[in-house]
Amino acid sequence: TRLKFMYGDVIEELVLSLAEAAGHDVVGRQDVMEVAGIKGHRDGVIDGMLIDVKSASPYGFTKFASHKLREDDAFGYIAQLTAYLLSSQDDPLVTNKTHAAFLVVNKVSGEITLDVYDLREDMKQMVKLIRNLSAILDSTEHKTQIQ
């Protein structure tokens, strides 16, 4: 498992370095992001767009290359990307405040694809979800149940 995650980290650094070498503006690598007290690290921002780098099996790569992740997102990647974009709304490095993308490498063939998502509705839904969960956690009934 550690080797698998380390391989993903190496691929991420390689892809971001290749983007930079190709003349793209790559900033904000591994910046800490926070939504509702939950912290994570974004992969980076390329040319003003929030980017999450993924290494994928040929099967997984096909979902990104054909823009079908919304239909089969077993790992919650879109929710994670949405959280990062939501937490980037005041970040001057992120100039595209509505779209974010997955930059994905097929770990068998080396193919690379960019899968861009309009996350405006996702961000609205996430804000509603956070508000609802916060209200539940703040409720007297919930506090009584915990005790």
Side-chain angles (χ1 to χ4, degrees), residues 13-26:
E13 281 304 312
L14 174 64
V15 169
L16 292 174
S17 295
L18 288 172
E20 202 166 36
H24 295 278
D25 183 36
V26 180

PDB file of all heavy atoms in Angstrom, residues 13-26:
ATOM      1  N   GLU A  13       4.345  14.463  -9.005  1.00  0.00           N
ATOM      2  CA  GLU A  13       5.474  15.398  -9.150  1.00  0.00           C
ATOM      3  C   GLU A  13       5.987  15.427 -10.587  1.00  0.00           C
ATOM      4  O   GLU A  13       6.312  16.491 -11.113  1.00  0.00           O
ATOM      5  CB  GLU A  13       6.600  15.045  -8.186  1.00  0.00           C
ATOM      6  CG  GLU A  13       6.342  15.505  -6.783  1.00  0.00           C
ATOM      7  CD  GLU A  13       6.079  17.002  -6.690  1.00  0.00           C
ATOM      8  OE1 GLU A  13       6.841  17.810  -7.275  1.00  0.00           O
ATOM      9  OE2 GLU A  13       5.101  17.378  -6.026  1.00  0.00           O
ATOM     10  N   LEU A  14       6.048  14.264 -11.220  1.00  0.00           N
ATOM     11  CA  LEU A  14       6.507  14.194 -12.607  1.00  0.00           C
ATOM     12  C   LEU A  14       5.572  14.976 -13.530  1.00  0.00           C
ATOM     13  O   LEU A  14       6.029  15.788 -14.348  1.00  0.00           O
ATOM     14  CB  LEU A  14       6.593  12.733 -13.064  1.00  0.00           C
ATOM     15  CG  LEU A  14       6.934  12.504 -14.538  1.00  0.00           C
ATOM     16  CD1 LEU A  14       8.331  13.033 -14.859  1.00  0.00           C
ATOM     17  CD2 LEU A  14       6.809  11.031 -14.880  1.00  0.00           C
ATOM     18  N   VAL A  15       4.279  14.773 -13.390  1.00  0.00           N
ATOM     19  CA  VAL A  15       3.306  15.437 -14.259  1.00  0.00           C
ATOM     20  C   VAL A  15       3.322  16.945 -14.047  1.00  0.00           C
ATOM     21  O   VAL A  15       3.310  17.716 -15.015  1.00  0.00           O
ATOM     22  CB  VAL A  15       1.886  14.852 -14.036  1.00  0.00           C
ATOM     23  CG1 VAL A  15       0.829  15.688 -14.711  1.00  0.00           C
ATOM     24  CG2 VAL A  15       1.834  13.418 -14.551  1.00  0.00           C
ATOM     25  N   LEU A  16       3.375  17.392 -12.792  1.00  0.00           N
ATOM     26  CA  LEU A  16       3.428  18.829 -12.530  1.00  0.00           C
ATOM     27  C   LEU A  16       4.732  19.433 -13.064  1.00  0.00           C
ATOM     28  O   LEU A  16       4.725  20.543 -13.600  1.00  0.00           O
ATOM     29  CB  LEU A  16       3.261  19.106 -11.030  1.00  0.00           C
ATOM     30  CG  LEU A  16       1.879  18.788 -10.457  1.00  0.00           C
ATOM     31  CD1 LEU A  16       1.869  18.953  -8.945  1.00  0.00           C
ATOM     32  CD2 LEU A  16       0.796  19.634 -11.103  1.00  0.00           C
ATOM     33  N   SER A  17       5.818  18.708 -12.944  1.00  0.00           N
ATOM     34  CA  SER A  17       7.100  19.184 -13.481  1.00  0.00           C
ATOM     35  C   SER A  17       7.063  19.257 -15.002  1.00  0.00           C
ATOM     36  O   SER A  17       7.617  20.197 -15.595  1.00  0.00           O
ATOM     37  CB  SER A  17       8.248  18.278 -13.022  1.00  0.00           C
ATOM     38  OG  SER A  17       8.397  18.358 -11.625  1.00  0.00           O
ATOM     39  N   LEU A  18       6.427  18.291 -15.653  1.00  0.00           N
ATOM     40  CA  LEU A  18       6.297  18.317 -17.110  1.00  0.00           C
ATOM     41  C   LEU A  18       5.444  19.508 -17.559  1.00  0.00           C
ATOM     42  O   LEU A  18       5.767  20.163 -18.551  1.00  0.00           O
ATOM     43  CB  LEU A  18       5.682  17.008 -17.623  1.00  0.00           C
ATOM     44  CG  LEU A  18       6.586  15.775 -17.560  1.00  0.00           C
ATOM     45  CD1 LEU A  18       5.793  14.517 -17.915  1.00  0.00           C
ATOM     46  CD2 LEU A  18       7.790  15.929 -18.465  1.00  0.00           C
ATOM     47  N   ALA A  19       4.377  19.785 -16.820  1.00  0.00           N
ATOM     48  CA  ALA A  19       3.532  20.935 -17.150  1.00  0.00           C
ATOM     49  C   ALA A  19       4.343  22.225 -17.031  1.00  0.00           C
ATOM     50  O   ALA A  19       4.254  23.113 -17.891  1.00  0.00           O
ATOM     51  CB  ALA A  19       2.307  20.977 -16.238  1.00  0.00           C
ATOM     52  N   GLU A  20       5.135  22.307 -15.987  1.00  0.00           N
ATOM     53  CA  GLU A  20       5.979  23.490 -15.777  1.00  0.00           C
ATOM     54  C   GLU A  20       7.032  23.615 -16.881  1.00  0.00           C
ATOM     55  O   GLU A  20       7.244  24.700 -17.429  1.00  0.00           O
ATOM     56  CB  GLU A  20       6.650  23.383 -14.406  1.00  0.00           C
ATOM     57  CG  GLU A  20       7.105  24.674 -13.826  1.00  0.00           C
ATOM     58  CD  GLU A  20       7.444  24.511 -12.346  1.00  0.00           C
ATOM     59  OE1 GLU A  20       7.974  23.454 -11.935  1.00  0.00           O
ATOM     60  OE2 GLU A  20       7.173  25.460 -11.609  1.00  0.00           O
ATOM     61  N   ALA A  21       7.654  22.496 -17.243  1.00  0.00           N
ATOM     62  CA  ALA A  21       8.668  22.495 -18.302  1.00  0.00           C
ATOM     63  C   ALA A  21       8.070  22.871 -19.653  1.00  0.00           C
ATOM     64  O   ALA A  21       8.756  23.441 -20.507  1.00  0.00           O
ATOM     65  CB  ALA A  21       9.340  21.123 -18.391  1.00  0.00           C
ATOM     66  N   ALA A  22       6.778  22.586 -19.834  1.00  0.00           N
ATOM     67  CA  ALA A  22       6.091  22.927 -21.085  1.00  0.00           C
ATOM     68  C   ALA A  22       5.685  24.398 -21.133  1.00  0.00           C
ATOM     69  O   ALA A  22       5.106  24.843 -22.114  1.00  0.00           O
ATOM     70  CB  ALA A  22       4.865  22.039 -21.267  1.00  0.00           C
ATOM     71  N   GLY A  23       5.976  25.137 -20.060  1.00  0.00           N
ATOM     72  CA  GLY A  23       5.705  26.565 -20.060  1.00  0.00           C
ATOM     73  C   GLY A  23       4.456  26.995 -19.317  1.00  0.00           C
ATOM     74  O   GLY A  23       4.103  28.173 -19.325  1.00  0.00           O
ATOM     75  N   HIS A  24       3.797  26.059 -18.665  1.00  0.00           N
ATOM     76  CA  HIS A  24       2.602  26.402 -17.894  1.00  0.00           C
ATOM     77  C   HIS A  24       3.001  26.960 -16.533  1.00  0.00           C
ATOM     78  O   HIS A  24       4.045  26.626 -15.989  1.00  0.00           O
ATOM     79  CB  HIS A  24       1.694  25.182 -17.713  1.00  0.00           C
ATOM     80  CG  HIS A  24       1.121  24.688 -18.991  1.00  0.00           C
ATOM     81  ND1 HIS A  24       0.001  25.252 -19.559  1.00  0.00           N
ATOM     82  CD2 HIS A  24       1.513  23.689 -19.819  1.00  0.00           C
ATOM     83  CE1 HIS A  24      -0.263  24.618 -20.684  1.00  0.00           C
ATOM     84  NE2 HIS A  24       0.635  23.669 -20.874  1.00  0.00           N
ATOM     85  N   ASP A  25       2.135  27.795 -15.983  1.00  0.00           N
ATOM     86  CA  ASP A  25       2.336  28.369 -14.657  1.00  0.00           C
ATOM     87  C   ASP A  25       1.813  27.358 -13.645  1.00  0.00           C
ATOM     88  O   ASP A  25       0.596  27.120 -13.578  1.00  0.00           O
ATOM     89  CB  ASP A  25       1.585  29.701 -14.566  1.00  0.00           C
ATOM     90  CG  ASP A  25       1.806  30.407 -13.250  1.00  0.00           C
ATOM     91  OD1 ASP A  25       2.931  30.324 -12.701  1.00  0.00           O
ATOM     92  OD2 ASP A  25       0.855  31.056 -12.758  1.00  0.00           O
ATOM     93  N   VAL A  26       2.692  26.746 -12.871  1.00  0.00           N
ATOM     94  CA  VAL A  26       2.322  25.735 -11.883  1.00  0.00           C
ATOM     95  C   VAL A  26       2.652  26.292 -10.497  1.00  0.00           C
ATOM     96  O   VAL A  26       3.818  26.522 -10.179  1.00  0.00           O
ATOM     97  CB  VAL A  26       3.063  24.406 -12.123  1.00  0.00           C
ATOM     98  CG1 VAL A  26       2.657  23.370 -11.086  1.00  0.00           C
ATOM     99  CG2 VAL A  26       2.798  23.882 -13.534  1.00  0.00           C
TER     100      VAL A  26
END
